[in-house]
Amino acid sequence: MKVRFLRPAIRELNEAIRYYNVQKVRLGEEFRDEAWETIGRIKEFPLAWHPLNETIRRCQMRRFPYGLIYEPSESEIVIIAVAHLHQEPEYWRIRTQ
């Protein structure tokens, strides 16, 4: 199944990687790796994760306080946000209108 990031989501991913690399050497790469592992879980079980509405879901990362907000369809998974779960939890909703 194809995975596509909205532009703001890819920016959020890259910003988080940069932030964690400043905190500790290679921590950003660990964040990136976990984000891709999370995408793998989503691809394997797209409907298994927490529903936020009829079509949008959130899969939390295991180690970092982030969740991937996504919308699955039969042909692709659209990553809407790479959202820090302790900051403005609903900010991404404007991207789905």
Side-chain angles (χ1 to χ4, degrees):
M1 183 174 291
K2 180 181 170 186
V3 175
R4 178 172 59 91
F5 281 78
L6 296 183
R7 284 185 188 166
I10 198 71
R11 271 195 307 272
E12 290 166 343
L13 176 65
N14 290 330
E15 287 170 7
I17 291 167
R18 282 192 296 275
Y19 170 80
Y20 281 114
N21 272 335
V22 168
Q23 303 307 306
K24 181 180 172 190
V25 174
R26 296 226 10 94
L27 189 57
E29 283 76 19
E30 292 175 27
F31 177 88
R32 181 201 59 221
D33 293 347
E34 184 170 335
W36 286 109
E37 288 173 15
T38 304
I39 289 170
R41 293 193 337 252
I42 292 169
K43 286 172 72 173
E44 190 170 352
F45 302 105
L47 301 178
W49 311 107
H50 183 75
L52 300 175
N53 69 21
E54 294 174 5
T55 60
I56 296 173
R57 295 179 174 268
R58 179 187 68 220
C59 185
Q60 288 186 230
M61 294 174 74
R62 291 182 172 140
R63 179 176 171 197
F64 296 91
Y66 280 79
L68 299 185
I69 311 297
Y70 68 97
E71 185 170 22
S73 71
E74 289 186 25
S75 60
E76 70 177 353
I77 294 168
V78 177
I79 306 296
I80 297 167
V82 178
H84 192 291
L85 298 177
H86 301 151
Q87 299 174 352
E88 299 180 54
E90 302 294 317
Y91 76 93
W92 53 267
R93 288 200 183 270
I94 195 166
R95 298 177 190 172
T96 64
Q97 299 173 348

